[in-house]
Every structure is written in C-alpha cells, then in structure tokens.
Amino acid sequence: MNATLSEKGSRATQRRVAFATIVGTTIEWYDFFIYATAAGLVFAHVFFAPAGESIGLLLAFASVGISFLFRPLGAFLAGHFGDKIGRRPMLVMTLVLMGASTTLIGVLPTYATAGILAPVMLLLLRILQGISAGGEWGGAVLMAVEHAPAGGRGRAGAFPQLGVPLGMLLASGVTAAMTGWIAPGEAFIEWGWRVPFLLSVVLIGVGYLVRRAVDESPVFEEIAAKKQQTKVPIAELFRKHWLLVLLAALVFAGNNAAGYMATGGFIPSYATGESVGLDRTDVLLAVTFAAATWFLFTLLSGVLADWIGRKRTYLIGFTAQALMVFPLFWLIDTGSLPLLYLALGLFTVGLGLSYGPQAAWYSEIFPASVRFSGVSISYALGAILGGAFAPTIAQALINSTGSSASVSLYLLGMTALSVAAVLMLRDRPGINLSINNQAEQEVGATVFDHRRAPAIERTSEFEETRA
C-alpha cells in the first residue's frame, strides 16, 4: 500500500474518523427522526387540522415522504462535488443545512396562526432536510471505509450506520421526556413539540467542530494529487454502472421500508391510536428501547460482515426481518406494553443485521472515481423505493383494510425484493479501493458481469500490504 494510505490508515486517525462520522450521522438522523416522530403525534393537529384527523394524519406522513423525493438531488449534488472537491467539505455543508432546517421548523407558525402558509413553510424546510440527508450518508461512509484497513471495513463502515439508531434513540428519548414530564398533555401540542427541534442548533455546533477536525479521505487525496477527478461523475456512473445503482438501491429498500416505518413515525401513531390505545410516552420509551437494540445489532453486523462477509450477513438479517413482519403487529395489537417492547426488540434484530454491512459493501462495489456519487445515489433511490412513503402506505392500508396484516404483507414483499437484489451482487471484501485499482473496481460487482481486469491490475489491499 502506498505511504499516503498507510499514514492515513493509522489507528489514531481511524478512531477520530469513527467518532466524527458517528457524531455527525447521529445529529443528522436525530433531526430527521424528530420530524417523523412529530408527524405521527402532533402535525396532523398543528399543521393539517382542517383536513380532519384521518386525512390530516395521511398528509403528515406524506410530508415525511416528500423529503425522500429530494434525497436524490442532495445525493447528486454531494456526489458530484464529493468526487471533485472531497468528502469532508460535503459532510460539513450537509450537517449545517440539516441543522438550520430543523431549527427553523421549531419556530414555524401553526395553521391556526398563519393559515396555509404554515404547512407550505413546513414542506419547504422538510425538502431541505431531504436534500441534506441525501448528501450526508455517502460522505460519512466513505470517510469511515476509505480510512480503514481492508480487513476492518465492515466494522469501520458500521460506525456511520450506528448514527441512525442513535439518532432515533435520541429523538424518541427527547420527545418522551417532553410528553412525559416537561410538557405533558396539551402542553406538548401547544409548545412542547418545538423544543426537540430547537435543540438541534446546539447539536449542530458540536457536530461542526468534530467534523472540521477530521482529515480528508486518503483515497480522495490520492485522486486529487493525481488530478484524476471525473469531470461529470454522475454521467459516468449511469453510463457504466446503472444496473449496479439499481441493485444497490433495492438492497436498501427492504431495510428502509421496515426501519423507517416501524421505528419511525408510524408505530408511535398506530400504537397510540384507538385500535391499540397505549400511552404516548410509554410508546416513545418502547421506541427508544428498540433504537438501543437496533444499535447493538448494527454494531454486531459490522463484525459479522468482516467475519463471514457482507452478503451472508445481509441474508441472515433479511431472514430475521421476514420472520418478524407478522409477529410485530400480532404483539402490538394485544395492547400490552411489555409485548410492544418484545415486538420492537425482536424486529430490530433483522434491521440491524441488514443495515450495518451496507457502508462497506457499497464502497467496495463502486469504482473510486465515481464512488461518492454511486453510494449516495444508490442510498437515496433505495430510500425512495423503501421508506419514503412507507408510513403513508401503511396508514392507507390500515384505513382501507382495517387489518395490520396488510402492512405485514407489504413489509414481507419489500424484504423479498431486497433479498433478490442481494443475491445478484458479489461480495468483494479486501478489494483495493485506491484509484490505482480502478480497472478491477470497474468489473465483476454483479453476478451478471463476468469480465475480469488485467492480471497486473487485480490486487487486494492485503496483497499490497504484504508486498
């Protein structure tokens, strides 16, 4: 391995990068999940009241999904500039954009005060959140994975993934504190929901300082030093690797549909509704518990991905997820709080195992010159196909069928779609991520691609280290 990669791959640097990525993604996803939680609990009353309770809830969940439609824009922009000017600048910019948008939601007027202008401003800020989220993930995972040694990419890539359950834990925990102790009952509807949004300004300050202190990715430094930045990375990505983008997006869709709907806005709304009737704070604490178990199994999946491979870990995770899509709602429908904890805890086993390996696997299937664009756009498209309108679809299914079994079938179908995509991709642990190994990176990522790079180009980082 060359000197640049060796120096930047030191353990001290890897620890700093891991800390910076997990802090940044936790803050980003706290902001994102705060919105989903508030949408399920209060936005139908605060911003969409004239539509009535059922339609207002659908509109609130639809506002959650709208932001996903703008994730590809964030992914396109961050991918383009991340492949041209670097990973770190994009991480800082997306963090600031997300924080500013979230904080401003906390000071918006309600429909009762500003009329139709209130939901319009809410949607605009939610769109900015979507653009930020679309650009955030790719930069974070590449900073983590490209700094890591080949044998530890699964674990390194799991750190930015941990930011999602940590962000969920923080969001649901803060909201539970508001509904249970600080602003219970009507006080939460009147003003308490704003506090979690306003706290974002403090978190963003911390995240900004942490991310500014991290070194640029060694792979991008190598690309910049050799002046090998692609002029239009997105055009090259879709011209050469469109099938890879589609399959990678489908890999994520099943996990995202289950994760975002089940532990995000839909479950708190469903479990506190008339059919189940659990207390709002109790449900939020159960979701907080689920976020903690999700965290643990995401962390475990990073270790498993390095041990048994990314593909096998994914298949184990999706099997666990499929086995729980029906028991999830059977247990919740009992109206028992302990069984709600059990349902969410068991469901997050599959969620974690099918999420942690994603960063390493995405990084290893895309060539260095378009890697930021590839991982970001695949992730954004997967989010649209999976989680964008999952809460809205679930609520519509409940409204039309009156049965949670319809939601379980929907989740089972999404899981099966992702399993099919996983089977069409190849595992490539140990592949050299350097721009010098572009020839090998360009071929063989799918089971349909039987091309091989010239023998002189095909080398792993393990082999480079031994040499």
Side-chain angles (χ1 to χ4, degrees), residues 153-235:
R153 288 186 199 140
R155 284 164 288 174
F159 281 103
Q161 303 296 79
L162 292 173
V164 178
L166 282 178
M168 185 70 228
L169 190 153
L170 188 59
S172 56
V174 169
T175 308
M178 296 303 301
T179 61
W181 304 291
I182 300 173
E186 287 301 313
F188 183 71
I189 304 293
E190 292 174 5
W191 62 270
W193 67 270
R194 298 181 182 274
V195 175
F197 287 91
L198 296 174
L199 286 175
S200 179
V201 72
V202 178
L203 297 176
I204 293 303
V206 174
Y208 177 82
L209 293 175
V210 169
R211 284 196 164 171
R212 286 284 296 175
V214 176
D215 294 335
E216 178 58 90
S217 158
V219 172
F220 181 78
E221 286 188 343
E222 190 176 61
I223 292 172
K226 296 185 176 184
K227 301 186 184 302
Q228 289 183 292
Q229 297 98 322
T230 304
K231 290 184 178 180
V232 188
I234 294 168

Side-chain angles (χ1 to χ4, degrees), residues 386-407:
F389 294 102
T392 309
I393 292 169
Q395 188 63 48
L397 288 171
I398 292 291
N399 290 349
S400 61
T401 67
S403 171
S404 59
S406 59
V407 182

Side-chain angles (χ1 to χ4, degrees), residues 58-126:
L58 281 174
L59 290 174
F61 283 143
S63 74
V64 173
I66 282 173
S67 71
F68 284 78
L69 300 179
F70 288 86
R71 278 198 193 184
L73 176 60
F76 273 65
L77 292 173
H80 177 80
F81 291 106
D83 281 327
K84 289 180 72 68
I85 66 173
R87 283 67 162 129
R88 191 177 72 167
M90 294 300 102
L91 286 179
V92 173
M93 282 188 266
T94 53
L95 189 68
V96 172
L97 178 60
M98 177 67 87
S101 305
T102 304
T103 303
L104 287 173
I105 290 174
V107 298
L108 281 180
T110 64
Y111 188 92
T113 303
I116 193 66
L117 185 62
V120 169
M121 289 190 292
L122 178 71
L123 292 178
L124 289 175
L125 291 173
R126 181 59 176 172

